[in-house]
Amino acid sequence: MKAIGVTEFGGPDALAIHEVEEPHAGPGEVRIRVSAFAVSPTDAGVRAGGRDLSQAGEPPYVPGMDAAGIVDEVGEGVTQWQTGDEVMAIALPLRGHGGAYVQALVAPVDSLAQIPTGTSLEEASTIPMNGLTAVQILEKAGLSAGQTLLVTGAPGLLGNYLVQLAEQQGITVIADAADKDRALVESLGADHIVPRGDEFVAAVQAIAPHGVDAIADAALLHEEAVPLLRAGGVFLAVRGWQGDGTPGIRFEQAMVFDEYHSQAKLDRLRQAVEDGVLTPRVSEVLAASEPGAAADAHRRLEAGGTRGRFVLTW
């Protein structure tokens, strides 16, 4: 089967199509014939060698945490899934069954869910990793209805999901947006929208003069945003930032790899899409088998400004 990965870590052009041995489902597993996989910033870290390699095995090293496709093989003891089921799954690059940039992905039965009714496989492929990250962030925040969450990077897909899921819980959301993204963030239902850039801090302070209850920092503002929290507030970081040690602030890290066996949460995300709470967003669909397509998607993603996800299809 074909897999897209790297034999040597590097920039987008290190990605290439490789022929690898096709896997088979073992006990408690299924095999997914992958139709679509989404390209996320995490994938660039895998490609560049910026992730834990202790369990990576032999190259090619395959990125990708989001897959959608059709179950085509069911392992021993599996009764929950049948061949022909349309599913979305989270994958773990550099460990276990590896990343999602493959034509066939073996997955534990509790790492996947049905795709939302009325949703394409391309759209469904944008849900698992960012959706589960958003769920974990909100769980760690532990906010009640009426408390205030500041979402930085709201126009990005993780930010989108954070705003929509927080609004569903009755949390008051302050979200940032440049002028060109304001309509998008308004459509997500944010209670307050503040500008990005020099006016950001003052605009948040005008809304929450005593500080917000929590910050979900999808824009990686780090130290710049910490002073916007109230005493006793919580800062929720992505990509491993551990905080700046400000007294009285609880610093938490989102670790989506911990959600590999979170089928119930993934199924709740399916329901949120079906209920109109969550909106999958595809920026562009590219052909995975086209030479250079994955590299192009990585290059354009790293250039910034993408709204939604590039999705590659076999």
Side-chain angles (χ1 to χ4, degrees):
M1 72 168 184
K2 290 182 172 61
I4 298 174
V6 299
T7 54
E8 294 185 3
F9 299 110
D13 289 333
L15 289 164
I17 299 173
H18 301 269
E19 287 291 338
V20 300
E21 185 176 351
E22 187 166 279
H24 294 280
E29 299 173 338
V30 301
R31 187 177 68 185
I32 302 165
R33 186 61 56 181
V34 176
S35 298
F37 55 88
V39 177
S40 295
T42 300
D43 303 352
V46 172
R47 183 210 72 222
R51 293 291 183 269
D52 178 11
L53 304 178
S54 62
Q55 302 178 51
E58 298 297 319
Y61 304 115
V62 177
M65 295 192 69
D66 294 287
I70 298 171
V71 173
D72 76 342
E73 190 175 274
V74 175
E76 180 184 350
V78 175
T79 58
Q80 181 178 359
W81 302 106
Q82 300 178 357
T83 57
D85 286 342
E86 291 187 320
V87 297
M88 55 186 179
I90 183 170
L92 294 186
L94 305 178
R95 65 179 71 178
H97 295 299
Y101 290 17
V102 292
Q103 290 183 313
L105 176 70
V106 171
V109 293
D110 55 2
S111 67
L112 60 151
Q114 296 279 0
I115 70 168
T117 301
T119 300
S120 69
L121 288 165
E122 291 83 359
E123 291 169 327
S125 74
T126 72
I127 297 169
M129 191 268 283
N130 283 281
L132 288 169
T133 302
V135 168
Q136 185 187 101
I137 285 173
L138 292 173
E139 287 178 344
K140 289 185 174 183
L143 300 181
S144 301
Q147 289 190 286
T148 303
L149 173 70
L150 171 61
V151 177
T152 74
L157 193 63
L158 174 57
N160 286 193
Y161 290 171
L162 280 164
V163 172
Q164 291 183 305
L165 293 173
E167 287 290 342
Q168 181 191 34
Q169 296 177 24
I171 296 166
T172 299
V173 176
I174 303 172
D176 66 344
D179 289 344
K180 64 184 178 65
D181 293 317
R182 188 177 182 90
L184 167 60
V185 177
E186 285 178 345
S187 74
L188 303 172
D191 298 280
H192 305 278
I193 301 176
V194 296
R196 307 189 83 169
D198 295 341
E199 301 175 38
F200 169 74
V201 170
V204 175
Q205 290 173 332
I207 297 166
H210 301 294
V212 298
D213 296 297
I215 296 174
D217 188 27
L220 311 181
L221 297 184
H222 298 165
E223 297 93 341
E224 179 184 348
V226 172
L228 297 172
L229 280 165
R230 66 167 174 80
V234 56
F235 191 101
L236 301 128
V238 296
R239 302 198 210 174
W241 192 62
Q242 297 183 3
D244 64 0
T246 298
I249 299 300
R250 176 164 60 93
F251 292 96
E252 297 278 359
Q253 299 177 51
M255 305 293 286
V256 74
F257 273 39
D258 295 343
E259 305 294 346
Y260 189 46
H261 298 285
S262 296
Q263 181 184 31
K265 297 178 186 178
L266 192 55
D267 196 59
R268 289 202 300 271
L269 290 166
R270 172 200 60 78
Q271 189 64 56
V273 175
E274 292 183 359
D275 291 344
V277 171
L278 202 67
T279 308
R281 203 174 304 279
V282 174
S283 175
E284 187 175 341
V285 177
L286 305 171
S289 58
E290 186 71 25
D296 182 48
H298 275 234
R299 194 176 298 110
R300 292 164 66 187
L301 180 69
E302 290 182 306
T306 301
R307 300 298 171 246
R309 286 282 174 260
F310 293 111
V311 173
L312 281 84
T313 58
W314 294 107

